[in-house]
Amino acid sequence: MWPDDYAARYRAAGYWTGQTFGDWLRELAKEHGDREAVDRLTYAALDARADRLAAGLHGLGLRRGDRVVVQLPNEPVFFEVIFALFRLGALPVFALPAHRLNEITHLVTHSEAAAYLTTRALEVAAPAPRVLHADALPYEDPIDLDGPRPDDVAFLQLSGGSTGLPKLIPRTHDDYLYSVRASAEICELSPSTVYLCALPVAHNFPMSSPGVLGVLHAGGRVVLAPRPSAEVAFSLIERERVTITAVVPPLALLWLDAAGRTGRDLSSLEVLQVGGAKLAAETARRVRPELGCRLQQVFGMAEGLVNYTRSDDPDFIVETTQGRPISPDDEILVVGADDRPVAPGEVGHLLTRGPYTIRRYYRDSDPGAFTPDGFYRTGDLVRLTPTGHLVVEGRAKEVINRGGEKVSPEEVESHLLAHPRVRDAAVVAVADPYLGERSHAFVLHRGPVTVAEVRAFLRERGLAAYKIPDRIEFAGEFPVTGVGKTSKKDLRAALRARAEGES
Ligand code: OOB
């Protein structure tokens, strides 16, 4: 994946330490054996059960290099399964609970998976050669396995791409463990950390930013939430004395609204991480007063690069930027359409290369997503502040081209969110015969408010006329992606279907 000179550099810098996930868990079990790792499972028990499950799966014929599509809810068995597969050298393909037959079939086919491991009852034909049910897994006496090498691919993560089916992202033991260790350090995790995993654990954010793996690295404790609702999360925070948790912006909004009327004691919570999509500054500023904890913004991607705001960043940086990279060797370029750097502080396309960012997708699908010299084209529009922090201005493909005038959906959304009666907003493009595209705002509201009032509010804020949505529509809820981000793809599709119905 990485050219030899880069690999040598990343090893020399101490990023890649030559350890596999299997060995890593062994060390954690030695160090923290009797401590709780995940729910009531101790580090020692997790280590032992992973060994027994690896033996059982080997007995079923699974071998090093085989791919296994894993689709599990937030339950401790997820950890046993992935560490068993890591020890076998078989590659989990991380499906999300929200995926259905369409996505699972794609994952199985594209990865040529040997098995599909799940808790789900299959409503239709088995999508894989072999289906393994999570409540009937084989645990056998441990056997010697010639496990993987540290520079082997450990698993296939899914791209969060907003169009089409997910792409497969090969992450190695070396590169991923580096991001886990460095993230745990940046986020100041310790053995007293209690992390609530409210998002689906297989997603890159709750898995490693610093996520459940970062918490294990620090010897802390993971609490798994079956659902991310405020009700479930707040009761777990109270009961387990949770210190840190991670949400996507739509959930942050729900939690903030629920915090005012909860009877739960949230005083143990020190940090709320928000990432996965742009957090409006208006929302960011509500975290401390309404939830009583510090905010940390996280801007990452399953392909690699992760940015964090730091605990010693001033409030305005934490509220208005998406952080700065994990590694001194994360290379960041902000370029124009010609791939040449824009002037400092200008908005451009984010390209990145570094010790934990892939150089190609699995089977080299979509080679155009990388430059000839190995930079990943993130598809994100960003600007770099003088302090070296990144501000995400949107997805390049989602900018609305309204008769030549460019409208940033995120900018309009942040103005909408400033209205006290607006709970959430999503602005998307619709095809227009005259302008090419025009803008459509979906708005979730609380309390009585009219479209005319929202429109007047935007005008009063001094927003340019062409940025004021051509249509504003109140909605009951937004469609979401597998991890809970607002799905603009589905919103656009709904508008298209409506237009077709009308014509
Ligand atoms: C995370 O990973 P993915 O792979 O589901 O999605 C990556 C994309 C980014 O390219 C960007 O478009 C968007 O999600 N994104 C953000 C963001 N964090 C992610 N956009 C604006 N502000 C943010 N804070 O979503 C992910 C992976 C690791 C850690 C955190 C998030």
Side-chain angles (χ1 to χ4, degrees):
M1 173 106 78
W2 287 267
D4 290 342
D5 48 338
Y6 281 86
R9 185 140 72 78
Y10 298 151
R11 287 196 184 94
Y15 305 144
W16 297 358
T17 61
Q19 195 177 37
T20 63
F21 273 99
D23 298 339
W24 177 74
L25 177 62
R26 191 79 78 218
E27 269 187 17
L28 294 178
K30 275 198 201 113
E31 206 177 330
H32 308 291
D34 292 337
R35 296 174 55 88
E36 248 181 79
V38 182
D39 287 347
R40 301 298 168 240
L41 194 64
T42 65
Y43 282 86
L46 173 58
D47 181 46
R49 287 181 69 80
D51 273 342
R52 295 178 56 80
L53 184 54
L57 293 172
H58 187 269
L60 293 182
L62 283 181
R63 293 292 179 268
R64 182 173 167 189
D66 285 346
R67 276 80 57 205
V68 178
V69 174
V70 174
Q71 186 185 32
L72 294 172
N74 285 3
E75 287 172 17
V77 68
F78 175 84
F79 292 80
E80 299 178 11
V81 166
I82 67 168
F83 283 104
L85 293 172
F86 291 155
R87 284 200 170 141
L88 265 177
L91 281 54
V93 181
F94 287 125
L96 296 170
H99 289 143
R100 287 296 169 266
L101 195 67
N102 177 41
E103 292 88 6
I104 299 294
T105 305
H106 162 74
L107 296 176
V108 166
T109 312
H110 184 38
S111 70
E112 298 179 89
Y116 167 45
L117 197 158
T118 184
T119 48
R120 286 183 52 212
L122 296 177
E123 60 274 13
V124 210
R130 168 167 230 152
V131 178
L132 301 172
H133 213 267
D135 52 22
L137 291 174
Y139 293 82
E140 306 282 352
D141 286 339
I143 54 171
D144 275 339
L145 295 162
D146 70 348
R149 292 179 0 176
D151 57 355
D152 282 343
V153 173
F155 57 82
L156 299 174
Q157 183 55 273
L158 311 193
S159 71
S162 47
T163 50
L165 288 163
K167 286 173 273 191
L168 296 180
I169 297 165
R171 301 290 301 262
T172 64
H173 295 264
D174 264 336
D175 93 73
Y176 208 64
L177 267 171
Y178 167 53
S179 76
V180 167
R181 272 191 240 104
S183 294
E185 191 170 319
I186 287 167
C187 300
E188 301 167 27
L189 305 188
S190 76
S192 51
T193 296
V194 182
Y195 177 89
L196 179 71
C197 181
L199 298 173
V201 60
H203 186 269
N204 200 65
F205 181 17
M207 187 180 304
S208 66
S209 305
V212 297
L213 296 179
V215 174
L216 296 186
H217 181 73
R221 181 157 73 87
V222 172
V223 175
L224 297 170
R227 282 185 311 282
S229 69
E231 196 178 293
V232 170
F234 290 0
S235 84
L236 286 169
I237 291 170
E238 178 181 73
R239 194 183 82 197
E240 304 288 337
R241 306 298 295 161
V242 167
T243 61
I244 175 171
T245 185
V247 293
V248 289
L251 264 181
L253 287 165
L254 288 175
W255 286 20
L256 284 167
D257 286 343
R261 32 189 167 77
T262 185
R264 302 293 182 181
D265 172 9
L266 306 179
S267 61
S268 60
L269 194 63
E270 292 163 12
V271 180
L272 180 75
Q273 294 188 297
V274 184
K278 177 73 181 246
L279 178 69
E282 284 71 16
T283 314
R285 283 192 273 272
R286 294 174 56 194
V287 171
R288 199 196 305 273
E290 295 181 34
L291 271 173
C293 66
R294 176 164 77 74
L295 167 70
Q296 179 179 44
Q297 295 214 42
V298 187
F299 164 40
M301 53 210 72
E303 285 82 355
L305 181 70
V306 180
N307 303 275
Y308 296 102
T309 56
R310 309 300 206 261
S311 66
D312 58 358
D313 281 335
D315 284 350
F316 81 96
I317 295 269
V318 174
E319 287 159 4
T320 60
T321 82
Q322 280 63 57
R324 57 185 173 83
I326 288 180
S327 177
D329 276 297
D330 281 322
E331 299 172 69
I332 298 289
L333 290 176
V334 183
V335 303
D338 57 1
D339 273 359
R340 276 214 273 263
V342 299
E346 295 284 298
V347 177
H349 299 264
L350 172 64
L351 310 185
T352 186
R353 188 167 74 171
Y356 61 99
T357 296
I358 57 165
R359 298 286 186 125
R360 66 180 75 94
Y361 285 106
Y362 184 65
R363 300 263 153 92
D364 210 9
S365 67
D366 199 9
F370 302 86
T371 67
D373 46 5
F375 280 84
Y376 168 57
R377 297 181 186 278
T378 64
D380 293 318
L381 292 172
V382 302
R383 66 187 162 80
L384 206 48
T385 69
T387 52
H389 292 79
L390 287 167
V391 178
V392 181
E393 300 284 354
R395 295 282 303 164
K397 285 197 181 125
E398 285 174 1
V399 171
I400 301 166
N401 190 340
R402 196 180 176 282
E405 308 215 79
K406 310 295 188 300
V407 181
S408 154
E410 283 75 7
E411 183 191 358
V412 181
E413 287 158 11
S414 73
H415 286 286
L416 286 164
L417 277 166
H419 191 290
R421 291 276 159 84
V422 171
R423 193 161 67 69
D424 203 352
V427 176
V428 296
V430 268
D432 182 273
Y434 304 104
L435 294 168
E437 287 180 339
R438 64 194 157 74
S439 58
H440 191 115
F442 290 95
V443 171
L444 306 184
H445 65 103
R446 53 175 156 234
V449 60
T450 65
V451 164
E453 279 163 9
V454 173
R455 193 175 288 287
F457 176 80
L458 293 180
R459 254 187 259 114
E460 278 156 26
R461 285 177 70 88
L463 199 58
Y466 71 91
K467 294 183 185 172
I468 298 193
D470 293 289
R471 269 203 71 186
I472 298 175
E473 173 180 350
F474 293 120
E477 58 178 14
F478 291 153
V480 290
T481 67
V483 73
K485 306 184 196 184
T486 300
S487 174
K488 294 200 167 172
K489 181 174 74 161
D490 288 337
L491 288 174
R492 281 190 297 266
L495 289 175
R496 264 199 314 276
R498 196 190 287 172
E500 277 161 23
E502 279 164 8
S503 64

